Amino acid sequence: MLIAIAATMTVILVWSCLSKSMVRWKVTAPLAMVVVGMLIGWTSDHWLAAAINTDAALRIVEFLLALFLFSDATEVRNGLAERKTGVMRLLFLAFPLSLVAAVLLGGVLLPGSPWPLILVIACIVVPIDLVPTQTLVRDPRVPERVRHALNVESGFNDGLVAPIFLFALAAAETSARSDQAMHALGQAVPAVLKSVLVGVPIGAAAGYFMYLAVSKGWTDGRAVRIGTLAVPVLTFSLAVWLDGNGFVAAFLAGVAYREMRREVPGEPLELTEDVTEFCSLAMWFAVGNVAAASLSWLSWQVLLYGLLALTLVRSIPVAISMLGSNFTRHERLLLGLFGPRGVASIVFALIAFNKLQQENDAYLVIGTTLVVVVGSVVLHGVGAPLVVDWHDRKRTREGAQKPA
C-alpha cells in the first residue's frame, strides 16, 4: 500500500513540474495516473479493489463527490441565462435523450440485468466531466460558445442526475419489483426537498457573510479560502443527517454561494479547486489500479456498450437538440464529440460498487465505468486535440484560398 501511495504522489509531483510540456506531448494528467495505477495493480496484490469496498471508503468517496459538485456549481454563474450558448438545449433535451438512449442500449447489450441496475449504469456513463480535457476547453481555437456550453453542462449535469442515480441505486438494492421501486422513489423526493432547504440557505448565507466580512475588513483571503472549502462538507453532512440528498444539497449550495458572494477580492475558490484537482488525480490512479484487477470481468458486450456510450449515445442526442439553433454544423459536431467522462462517473461507480449486494452487479458497474472513463481519457484527452489541430489547419487553408 505504501509503495502505491508513493508512486501516486511521485506521478503528481512530476506532473506538477511538467504540466505544460505534457500538454504538448498529448499526455494528460488522468492518462498518466491511469497508466501508473494499472502498472501498480499488475505488479502487486489487488489491495485497492478490496479497500474501496468498505464503509469508510464509501463515506470518503461521498464527501469527494460533494466537493466536486460544489466546485462545479461555482463555475456556472449566469450560464443558464445566456440562451445563445445552447446550454438549455444540452441540459433539458440532449441530456434526457442521452439517458434514455443509454438505458435502451443497456437493455440490448446487457440482457438479464434488472432495469434499476441498467438505470444506475446509465446515470454513471452519461454525465460529462471536463477534468480529462481541461486544456482543450481553454483552447482559443475551439469556438468560445462551445467551450462555455460544455463548461456549464459539465457543472450542472452531475447535479441533475444525482437524485435519479440514488433512486435507481435504492431500487437496485431492493429488487426490480415496481412496488419497491416506487417506495424508493417516494423516499427520494422528500430527500431532494430537504436538500433544497439545506443547500440553498447555507450556500447563500456563506457567500453573503464572506463578502460582508471581507468588505468590512474582518477577515483575509486565506481565511475565506479555508471557509469556502468547509461549505460543501458542512452542507453534505447536515443534509445526510436530516435524511436528505447530500449531493444535491452540495450542488445547490455551490450555485447559491456563487450568486451571493459577489466580487470577493482574491481567489476565494482557489483552495477548493486545488483540493478538488488533487483528489481527482488520486481518483484516476484508483481507476487504473482497479482496472488491472477487473479485466477478467470484461466482455464484448460491456466493451461495445462503453464505446457506444462515449460516441453515439451523446452525439446523436446533441445533434437532435441543436436542430434549429444558431450553432454552425462544425460547432454542433464539436459539442457532440467533446463529451469526456471523468471524476463524477468514477465516484458514482464507487458508490454503486459499495452499495450493490450482488457481486456480479457490482463488477458489471465497475467494468462498464472503466471502459467508459479509460476510453474517454484516450478518446477525449488524446484524440480531441488532434481533431482541433486538424480543423485549425483546414480553416487556415480555406482562409488562404479565399480571394482577397
Side-chain angles (χ1 to χ4, degrees):
M1 178 176 179
L2 291 177
I3 189 63
I5 295 174
T8 307
M9 296 304 107
T10 299
V11 174
I12 293 176
L13 181 60
V14 171
W15 168 80
S16 68
C17 296
L18 301 174
S19 60
K20 289 186 177 180
S21 298
M22 291 176 73
V23 169
R24 291 195 296 270
W25 301 334
K26 302 296 189 293
V27 178
T28 63
L31 178 60
M33 297 305 298
V34 167
V35 170
V36 172
M38 295 186 74
L39 291 176
I40 295 295
W42 284 328
T43 56
S44 64
D45 58 359
H46 304 307
W47 63 270
L48 185 57
I52 63 176
N53 194 17
T54 62
D55 291 337
L58 174 61
R59 187 60 70 194
I60 291 173
V61 167
E62 288 175 338
F63 273 112
L64 288 179
L65 181 56
L67 188 61
F68 295 141
L69 289 169
F70 177 83
S71 181
D72 284 345
T74 59
E75 297 277 347
V76 295
R77 186 179 184 183
N78 297 329
L80 293 177
E82 300 178 25
R83 296 186 177 183
K84 293 183 179 179
T85 63
V87 172
M88 299 292 285
R89 291 171 176 262
L90 289 176
L91 286 175
F92 300 111
L93 185 55
F95 184 69
L97 288 176
S98 295
L99 201 60
V100 171
V103 171
L104 295 177
L105 182 65
V108 174
L109 292 178
L110 306 175
S113 299
W115 71 263
L117 180 62
I118 294 177
L119 182 56
V120 166
I121 293 173
C123 291
I124 291 172
V125 303
V126 167
I128 72 168
D129 181 359
L130 298 184
V131 169
T133 56
Q134 281 296 320
T135 55
L136 184 65
V137 295
R138 298 189 184 105
D139 193 327
R141 296 174 299 174
V142 178
E144 182 180 359
R145 61 178 177 175
V146 170
R147 287 182 279 137
H148 177 77
L150 290 172
N151 191 47
V152 177
E153 181 190 3
S154 174
F156 272 110
N157 60 13
D158 43 8
L160 292 175
V161 83
I164 304 174
F165 168 77
L166 293 176
F167 155 65
L169 187 57
E173 284 183 89
T174 54
S175 76
R177 291 193 335 184
S178 60
D179 57 338
Q180 292 180 315
M182 291 307 297
H183 176 69
L185 179 61
Q187 292 180 320
V189 173
V192 171
L193 294 177
K194 292 178 183 178
S195 303
V196 175
L197 297 177
V198 171
V200 174
I202 291 179
Y208 174 76
F209 283 112
M210 283 185 181
Y211 168 76
L212 180 65
V214 171
S215 63
K216 297 291 185 180
W218 298 339
T219 187
D220 56 23
R222 176 176 173 273
V224 167
R225 289 192 293 272
I226 295 174
T228 300
L229 183 61
V231 175
V233 179
L234 167 63
T235 307
F236 178 86
S237 302
L238 187 57
V240 172
W241 181 65
L242 294 173
D243 295 324
N245 186 318
F247 305 127
V248 175
F251 178 78
L252 293 176
V255 175
Y257 172 85
R258 185 62 187 259
E259 291 296 328
M260 293 300 296
R261 73 175 178 85
R262 303 179 190 175
E263 298 301 326
V264 175
E267 297 292 338
L269 296 168
E270 189 175 52
L271 178 60
T272 303
E273 293 169 350
D274 289 344
V275 171
T276 302
E277 184 167 5
F278 180 86
C279 292
S280 72
L281 292 176
M283 294 296 297
W284 285 111
F285 171 83
V287 167
N289 191 276
V290 175
S294 306
L295 292 179
S296 60
W297 290 85
L298 297 181
S299 63
W300 70 266
Q301 293 97 330
V302 171
L303 291 171
L304 181 58
Y305 180 90
L307 177 62
L308 293 177
L310 281 174
T311 53
L312 299 182
V313 167
R314 173 173 174 82
S315 59
I316 293 178
V318 168
I320 293 174
S321 69
M322 288 296 160
L323 291 175
S325 71
N326 60 354
F327 276 65
T328 66
R329 184 176 62 179
H330 168 64
E331 290 172 335
R332 297 178 192 182
L333 177 63
L334 293 181
L335 285 173
L337 290 177
F338 297 167
R341 303 336 189 254
V343 174
S345 296
I346 297 169
V347 176
F348 280 139
L350 292 179
I351 292 172
F353 184 74
N354 278 270
K355 290 284 190 179
L356 293 171
Q357 300 299 317
Q358 296 295 324
E359 185 179 42
N360 288 338
D361 293 347
Y363 275 96
L364 176 61
V365 167
I366 287 293
T368 307
T369 306
L370 290 173
V371 172
V372 170
V373 296
V374 175
S376 182
V377 167
V378 177
L379 180 63
H380 299 110
V382 179
L386 297 178
V387 173
V388 174
D389 291 341
W390 171 81
H391 179 265
D392 186 59
R393 290 194 299 269
K394 179 181 177 182
R395 186 171 55 183
T396 301
R397 289 196 303 268
E398 291 176 350
Q401 292 173 358
K402 287 183 179 181

